[in-house]
Amino acid sequence: MSKRDEIVSNIKGLISKSLNNIAKNEYEVVVEVPPNPDMGDLAIPLFSYTNILKMKPFEIANIIKNDIEKDPTIYESVVKGPYLNIFLDRNSIFDSIVEDILSKGDNFAKQKTNNIKVVLEFSSPNTNKPLHLGHCRNNVLGAFISNIYRFCGYTLTSINLINDRGIHICKSMLAYKLFGNGATPESEHKKSDHLVGDFYVKYAIEEKNNPDLEKQAKGMLVDWENNDSDTIELWKKMNGWAISGMKETYKRMGIEFDSFEYESNNYLLGKDIVLDGLSRGLFFREADNSVWVDNSDVGLDKKALLRSDGTSIYITQDLGTAKKRHDVYNASRFIYVVGSEQNYHFDTLFATLKKLGYSWADSCFHLSYGMVNLPEGKMKSREGKVIDADNLMDLLFGLAKSEIDERNKDISEDEKNYIAEKVALSALKFYLLNFSTSKDIMFIPEKSISFDGNTGPYIQYTTSRINSLITKYGSNSLKFDSSDYKFNQDEWNVIYQLLNFEDVVLKSCDNLSSVELTTYIYELSKRFNKFYHDNPILSESENIKNVRLNISIATLQVLKIGLRLLGIEPLDRM
RNA sequence: GAGCCUAUAGCUCAGUUGGAUAGAGCAUUAGAUUGCGGAUCUAAAGGUCGGAGGUUCGAGUCCUCUUAGGCUCGCCA
């Protein structure tokens, strides 16, 4: 239970006890936060008791007020209209929360291991083109889920399922075969996955003039499945290029996986399951020999599970992969981070698993995220109308670098580059995580990424600033006496926000939602910067200085934990 | 045509189980620095929460209808 939870549930207890003094009943006590910090730290709305107690809200408030004010955690309470607003005792909270943060360090707000196993699949790119902005959203989201689940005590395994097989892969292979002239990344001085992507675009262009190419691509897939040695060799070569290029991108982004799986190893899975379902009468066979499931009983539609020639399709593989994944990991939760355009597919997949009688079907969850749109419309990789992940990082790096060049004359070129890279990545990651996951987002290249305001670099700036403060003025064993310290509103706003951190972490984890954490971190930084700006730390007494330094140290610690959960590396200097 | 999703300030977005005067950032305007980092801080201006009904003490939030946009509906992945 978090510190804040303890305080809130104590207050709930006090209030329901007080209400029971008026009339015995079961009361549900709601605790909220007032719209304005000046109004108090907690607010109790009293509308819902009026009918039971036959009293007006402010009359109830006055009775409760007298009962609860004796409690040591409460400094005072104020009746305001139909609300009872509570001011907490700042000194005792400061003592306990700061002590908690400083003693636990990086483990502050970390939850105990709960022995629940989770499998998380994310990224899962196709090997026919480089990673683009849409993958970036997927990657940072996946990394965030991975971080926060582990921080909250789960045992998590992350998987990248590489889609290295299929007609779309054959398309770039075919274009290379026809027009490649033996080009290599070395000969073209190109990142290897970009070279592969060029041929995917080339295919799309050529296909417009030559519809026969599609037949050839299909033929190539058949050759691939028949283990045709030339085709397999070409596939291995181009796949190798695609994957090694992507791994560079992952490395630069700081995205890691516990395991890579390859669809080329999985594509035969699932057939047995479908045939088993057929024999149990759960599926049906059409006259042309194809096998279908009818999910209309759960509001979905009919869906083919095996082609008439007996080969498997996308959903067949996914059924098999899901079953295998369950058998291997025996986890209690399976999360798939996949774009919202596949909502229907996952509904069908999970419904079919359930129809097959797999009890674990209910533990599968599609974490659906919205598409990334550009001002010109949807990204289309076939037309080359994409924002490429590598280019985007280069662009951001350049912007950050020129900022740093202007500000810092006296640091080495190496350090400038290091900082520019971290600033660029923090901008990108924070930006992408600062949206509601399920919503589509609009990415305007010139305007979207900025370093001012509600951004990653703003948070980085705050951590750098605090770091510089405490390295100059001390961080260890700062003695202070807070017993009769009068915390002002600026100081308290920071302390109170620190108190909320653990709850935000738990909520972000439960809701698989990054925006709650980004909002929190930004708010904490903002409160700190205001406090820092208006409250000189050095010019006051030793005691004041030490109290304020401790607020600063605790803030830095919480910001660092929060940034790391978002997959952003905190900076000591920028 | 059917299913799902979205609509909040000029732009990009937050808004908890329904609660107080609907909030940020950017852009705009006006300010702040003898201290500890100005990638900072303060303030102004900016809204019929797509529209219409309904539920109730109370609706951006829930229900119905409606308008606009997006995604999906393949024996592609």
Side-chain angles (χ1 to χ4, degrees), chain A residues 348-394:
Chain A
T348 303
L349 176 66
F350 299 156
T352 306
L353 287 170
K354 201 163 183 180
K355 192 151 276 177
L356 281 160
Y358 298 131
S359 57
W360 46 269
D362 286 329
S363 50
C364 295
F365 181 76
H366 173 207
L367 179 59
S368 167
Y369 61 91
M371 297 192 318
V372 182
N373 292 312
L374 305 178
E376 316 85 75
K378 194 186 173 181
M379 288 202 291
K380 291 207 176 90
S381 46
R382 261 172 312 194
E383 297 168 19
K385 202 169 78 178
V386 289
I387 296 203
D388 169 84
D390 295 318
N391 297 345
L392 179 59
M393 286 190 280
D394 287 344

Side-chain angles (χ1 to χ4, degrees), chain A residues 220-327:
Chain A
M220 217 172 193
L221 184 60
V222 174
D223 289 345
W224 185 90
E225 295 200 3
N226 290 333
N227 265 315
D228 174 68
S229 61
D230 285 354
T231 308
I232 295 288
E233 199 177 314
L234 177 61
W235 173 76
K236 278 185 178 163
K237 180 160 79 175
M238 292 184 74
N239 245 6
W241 287 343
I243 292 169
S244 68
M246 287 173 184
K247 284 189 174 173
E248 284 176 42
T249 309
Y250 287 130
K251 191 173 179 195
R252 184 172 179 191
M253 282 190 83
I255 305 292
E256 292 173 355
F257 303 92
D258 297 315
S259 163
F260 282 83
E261 291 181 6
Y262 298 89
E263 206 147 83
S264 53
N265 295 330
N266 283 0
Y267 82 103
L268 293 175
L269 292 174
K271 223 164 142 176
D272 298 345
I273 297 172
V274 173
L275 293 174
D276 170 58
L278 183 66
S279 70
R280 285 154 58 199
L282 303 169
F283 307 145
F284 63 95
R285 201 187 274 281
E286 283 287 1
D288 67 359
N289 224 27
S290 55
V291 178
W292 294 70
V293 62
D294 184 357
N295 282 323
S296 55
D297 53 332
V298 290
L300 299 167
D301 209 340
K302 290 174 188 165
K303 169 75 189 171
L305 302 178
L306 281 179
R307 291 193 185 97
S308 49
D309 64 5
T311 57
S312 60
I313 49 185
Y314 181 46
I315 195 161
T316 326
Q317 299 173 42
D318 272 6
L319 288 166
T321 304
K323 171 78 162 57
K324 182 182 168 192
R325 198 169 281 178
H326 171 264
D327 294 345

Side-chain angles (χ1 to χ4, degrees), chain A residues 37 101 106 147 159 173 212 247 279 284 361 372 383 387 410 467 473 483 512 525 555:
Chain A
I101 294 168
D106 288 343
N147 293 336
I159 296 173
M173 283 162 60
D212 186 55
K247 284 189 174 173
S279 70
F284 63 95
V372 182
E383 297 168 19
I387 296 203
D410 58 339
N467 187 65
Y473 303 106
S483 55
L512 297 166
S525 297
T555 302

Side-chain angles (χ1 to χ4, degrees), chain A residues 5 131 224 248 304 309 311 417 439 443 499 564:
Chain A
D5 257 357
L131 301 178
W224 185 90
E248 284 176 42
D309 64 5
T311 57
N417 286 334
K439 287 194 185 175
F443 191 86
L499 177 68
R564 289 194 191 110

Side-chain angles (χ1 to χ4, degrees), chain A residues 41-238:
Chain A
D41 302 313
L42 299 170
I44 318 295
L46 300 160
F47 307 96
S48 57
Y49 313 121
T50 52
N51 283 341
I52 306 170
L53 299 177
K54 304 269 186 296
M55 294 166 77
K56 297 226 154 57
F58 75 90
E59 295 171 327
I60 303 169
N62 276 306
I63 293 172
I64 297 174
K65 173 182 159 70
N66 286 327
D67 283 347
I68 67 171
E69 274 191 349
K70 296 162 207 135
D71 193 85
T73 62
I74 295 171
Y75 174 68
E76 69 170 332
S77 57
V78 176
V79 180
K80 179 133 189 193
Y83 290 87
L84 181 65
N85 291 336
I86 294 172
F87 289 85
L88 297 171
D89 183 70
R90 296 178 174 186
N91 299 59
S92 65
I93 287 171
F94 169 80
D95 284 349
S96 65
I97 195 72
V98 168
E99 203 279 323
D100 204 19
I101 294 168
L102 298 190
S103 65
K104 289 181 181 160
D106 288 343
N107 291 323
F108 172 69
K110 190 171 185 171
Q111 305 298 301
K112 285 191 198 120
T113 304
N114 59 21
N115 292 317
I116 298 175
K117 285 192 205 163
V118 178
V119 173
L120 173 74
E121 178 193 312
F122 71 101
S123 203
S124 303
N126 295 323
T127 55
N128 57 356
K129 54 183 189 284
L131 301 178
H132 57 66
L133 183 53
H135 294 109
C136 290
R137 189 173 191 194
N138 188 314
N139 291 347
V140 296
L141 202 53
F144 164 72
I145 301 299
S146 168
N147 293 336
I148 198 139
Y149 258 66
R150 286 180 174 138
F151 195 71
C152 288
Y154 295 86
T155 304
L156 182 137
T157 306
S158 60
I159 296 173
N160 188 353
L161 176 59
I162 307 277
N163 291 288
D164 59 349
R165 175 203 164 265
I167 186 76
H168 53 298
I169 309 294
C170 291
K171 286 176 179 176
S172 38
M173 283 162 60
L174 180 63
Y176 180 84
K177 195 174 172 183
L178 296 176
F179 313 108
N181 296 319
T184 65
E186 294 76 27
S187 74
E188 305 303 306
H189 303 291
K190 229 176 182 148
K191 194 159 167 284
S192 56
D193 50 339
H194 288 241
L195 183 69
V196 175
D198 288 349
F199 286 101
Y200 188 64
V201 173
K202 176 75 175 165
Y203 172 90
I205 294 165
E206 294 296 329
E207 191 200 22
K208 281 178 189 160
N209 307 321
N210 183 3
D212 186 55
L213 286 180
E214 182 152 13
K215 266 186 209 160
Q216 293 185 43
K218 277 181 184 164
M220 217 172 193
L221 184 60
V222 174
D223 289 345
W224 185 90
E225 295 200 3
N226 290 333
N227 265 315
D228 174 68
S229 61
D230 285 354
T231 308
I232 295 288
E233 199 177 314
L234 177 61
W235 173 76
K236 278 185 178 163
K237 180 160 79 175
M238 292 184 74

